[in-house]
Amino acid sequence: MPEQLLFAIEVTLNGLMAGVLYALVALGFVLIFKASGIFNYAQGVMALFAALTLVGIQQGQVPFSHLINAIFGTHIHHFPWQVPSIIAIILAAGVMVFFAWLVEKYILQHLIGQPDIILFMATIGLAYFMEGFGDMMWGSEIKTLDVGLPQGLNVAIDETTYGWFGYGFFIDNLDLVATLVAIVLVTVLVIFSQYTKQGRALRAVADDHSAALSVGISLRFIWVLVWSIAGFVALVAGIMWGAKSGVQFSLSLIALKALPVLMLGGFTSIPGAIIGGLIIGVGEQLFEFAIGPMVGGATQNWFAYVLALVFLIFRPQGLFGEKIIERV
C-alpha cells in the first residue's frame, strides 16, 4: 500500500479523534438550546472554569489567594494537602451543579418569557463574568491537568499497523479515551432526552415556556437540570482538552470551533453534534493534508468555518436539525 495512502488513513483517524473533542463541547450547546431555545455563549468558558476548578481542588490551591495576599499582605497559596483525582472530579462536578443553580436563580428566573436575544445577551455577560471570576479565583497562569489519563503513542496500534502495512500509525491514547467517553455520554444523553419524563419535559420547555408552565412542568427544575448536565459535559471537555494542551484561558476559545459543528449537525440534535464534530475533525485534517501545502498551510484555522458557510447556504438547519416552517 502506498505510503501517502497510509499517511492519509492515519490523518483521518486522528481527525476522528479531534472531532470527538469538538463534539464534546458542542454537546453542551445542544443541551442548553434544547431547554431554552438560545445559544449559550458561555459554554466554552464553562469548560475553562470547570477545568480551572478541578486543577485548583486537586492541587489544594487556596481560592482567591492572589486577592487575599494583596489585601492582607499574606503569602498563602496552597493548603497543606492534595486531593485525589476522582474526589477532585466529584467536587468539581458539584461546583458546576451549584453554578447551574445560581444561574437559574439569579439570571434565568428573571428572564422567563423574554425574547431569545435577551437570553443570548445574558449568556454573553455570563461568559465574561465567569472568565474574570475564574482568573481572580484560581489565577491566570497555565496549569497542568493530570487525572491519570493515559497519554502518548498507543504502542499496540503502532506495532500492529507496522506489522500489517510496514507503517506504524501514531494514535494518542488520550484521544482514544476521549472517544470512548464521548460514546458513553452520547448514548446516555440520547436515552435521557428521548425516553425519560425529564427529557420530554425538556423538549416541551424548548418549544414554549408558557405552555410548559401551564401543564405543570417546573421550568426552574428543568433549567437547573439541563445547566447541570451541560456543566458536567463542560467538565469532561475541560478535562480532555486540559490534559491535552494544559489549562489556560485560550481553552475557552474551543467554543468557537464548536460553532461549525453545530451548523453542520443542527442546534437541536445530540447525535448531530457528534456527526458534525467528526465531519469537522476529519475534514480539516484531510484538507490540510491534501490542499494545505498548495495554499501555504494553516488551513485548519478557517476550513471549518468555510464548510459551515456552505452548509448554511444549502441546508440552514444542519444535517439533523428540524426544518422550521412558518405560516405567513
Side-chain angles (χ1 to χ4, degrees):
M1 189 176 294
E3 185 173 332
Q4 282 294 95
L5 178 58
L6 291 172
F7 186 54
I9 295 174
E10 180 185 3
V11 168
T12 301
L13 291 175
N14 280 284
L16 288 171
M17 303 294 105
V20 168
L21 294 179
Y22 296 151
L24 280 176
V25 181
L27 276 175
F29 288 101
V30 170
L31 289 170
I32 299 296
F33 191 86
K34 286 174 71 69
S36 60
I38 62 168
F39 176 78
N40 176 27
Y41 186 84
Q43 186 65 32
V45 184
M46 286 171 62
L48 167 66
F49 183 80
L52 285 172
T53 302
L54 174 58
V55 174
I57 294 174
Q58 187 180 28
Q59 297 180 353
Q61 183 178 348
V62 177
F64 306 105
S65 58
H66 295 82
L67 183 62
I68 294 172
N69 292 336
I71 294 175
F72 300 102
T74 55
H75 298 281
I76 60 172
H77 296 283
H78 291 82
F79 295 110
W81 65 74
Q82 291 190 343
V83 180
S85 297
I86 185 65
I87 297 177
I89 292 174
I90 294 173
L91 292 175
V95 169
M96 297 309 293
V97 172
F98 180 65
F99 163 77
W101 177 79
L102 290 177
V103 168
E104 190 283 325
K105 182 174 179 62
Y106 294 105
I107 299 178
L108 299 179
Q109 183 180 349
H110 303 285
L111 297 177
I112 294 176
Q114 295 296 319
D116 292 345
I117 187 62
I118 301 298
L119 290 166
F120 173 65
M121 294 300 292
T123 67
I124 293 179
L126 179 63
Y128 284 106
F129 169 78
M130 288 185 67
E131 188 166 346
F133 188 75
D135 186 0
M136 183 172 60
M137 187 174 184
W138 301 113
S140 58
E141 65 276 4
I142 298 176
K143 298 174 175 61
T144 301
L145 176 58
D146 182 9
V147 293
L149 296 177
Q151 298 191 48
L153 172 67
N154 186 288
V155 178
I157 294 178
D158 179 61
E159 293 178 348
T160 300
T161 53
Y162 185 83
W164 288 350
F165 310 115
Y167 178 90
F169 289 177
F170 184 95
I171 303 295
D172 195 313
N173 283 311
L174 180 61
D175 292 336
L176 291 175
V177 172
T179 301
L180 294 175
V181 170
I183 291 172
V184 172
L185 273 179
V186 171
T187 302
V188 171
L189 290 174
V190 168
I191 293 173
F192 168 78
S193 178
Q194 300 295 328
Y195 302 107
T196 67
K197 179 180 179 181
Q198 290 78 12
R200 291 190 292 270
L202 185 152
R203 297 199 303 273
V205 169
D207 289 338
D208 192 315
H209 293 174
S210 300
L213 285 170
S214 68
V215 296
I217 296 175
S218 173
L219 194 60
R220 297 187 61 183
F221 171 77
I222 292 297
W223 273 351
V224 170
L225 175 64
V226 75
W227 276 79
S228 297
I229 297 175
F232 178 74
V233 172
L235 174 61
V236 173
I239 290 173
M240 299 304 173
W241 280 98
K244 193 177 184 70
S245 57
V247 179
Q248 51 191 313
F249 276 77
S250 61
L251 186 66
S252 62
L253 298 179
I254 62 175
L256 298 179
K257 189 57 71 74
L259 287 175
V261 173
L262 293 168
M263 293 175 188
L264 265 66
F267 280 80
T268 59
S269 173
I270 293 175
I274 298 300
I275 301 301
L278 296 178
I279 292 174
I280 293 294
V282 173
E284 67 179 14
Q285 293 288 342
L286 288 179
F287 192 84
E288 174 66 23
F289 168 72
I291 308 297
M294 304 178 189
V295 296
T299 60
Q300 293 168 322
N301 294 330
W302 52 264
F303 169 80
Y305 301 97
V306 174
L307 182 61
L309 178 61
V310 174
F311 265 79
L312 285 175
I313 293 174
F314 295 101
R315 189 174 174 82
Q317 71 273 21
L319 293 173
F320 296 89
E322 298 175 359
K323 184 175 291 187
I324 300 174
I325 301 176
E326 295 183 356
R327 294 181 179 274
V328 295

